[in-house]
């Protein structure tokens, strides 16, 4: 049976090794967190830009078009605005 001193010395030698392992793991996690935060930041900016562009597009579409221009466009492209849309059912999960 090992002596109490040998057990304590063994634990003392193992402690710094464990500290270094945890520091290395911490640095990997910190780097992964920084990458994930950057991706999140880019996606938030992308979504904001998309929503701004969509709002501008909607605002531009809401501008009144003179009746003569609207009729001319409708005559040039028959049926394009009157095509029926399909309704697609979404599959529910869970």
């Amino acid at each position: 049976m090992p002596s109490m001193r040998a057990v304590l010395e063994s634990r003392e030698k193992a402690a710094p090794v464990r500290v270094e392992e945890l520091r290395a793991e911490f640095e990997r996690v910190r780097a992964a967190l920084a990458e994930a935060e950057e991706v999140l930041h880019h996606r938030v900016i992308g979504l904001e830009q998309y929503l701004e562009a969509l709002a501008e597009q909607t605002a531009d579409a809401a501008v009144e078009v003179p009746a003569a221009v609207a009729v001319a466009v409708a005559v040039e492209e028959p049926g394009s605005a009157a095509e029926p849309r399909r309704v697609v059912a979404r599959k529910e999960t869970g």
Side-chain angles (χ1 to χ4, degrees), residues 19-33:
V19 167
E20 285 306 311
E21 289 172 351
L22 290 172
R23 280 191 180 137
E25 183 178 345
F26 175 70
E27 289 304 317
R28 285 191 300 273
V29 170
R30 186 189 312 207
L33 176 62

Side-chain angles (χ1 to χ4, degrees), residues 10-85:
S10 173
R11 288 181 181 178
E12 183 184 7
K13 289 178 183 177
V17 173
R18 180 70 176 142
V19 167
E20 285 306 311
E21 289 172 351
L22 290 172
R23 280 191 180 137
E25 183 178 345
F26 175 70
E27 289 304 317
R28 285 191 300 273
V29 170
R30 186 189 312 207
L33 176 62
E35 283 183 37
E37 287 175 336
E38 185 174 348
V39 168
L40 174 63
H41 180 71
H42 286 287
R43 290 190 177 161
V44 166
I45 290 172
L47 179 60
E48 288 173 352
Q49 291 174 342
Y50 170 76
L51 293 175
E52 287 173 8
L54 187 61
E56 288 175 11
Q57 182 182 12
T58 303
D60 290 346
V63 173
E64 285 213 20
V65 177
V69 174
V71 170
V73 170
V75 170
E76 289 176 11
E77 300 177 27
S80 63
E83 292 178 359
R85 293 184 170 214

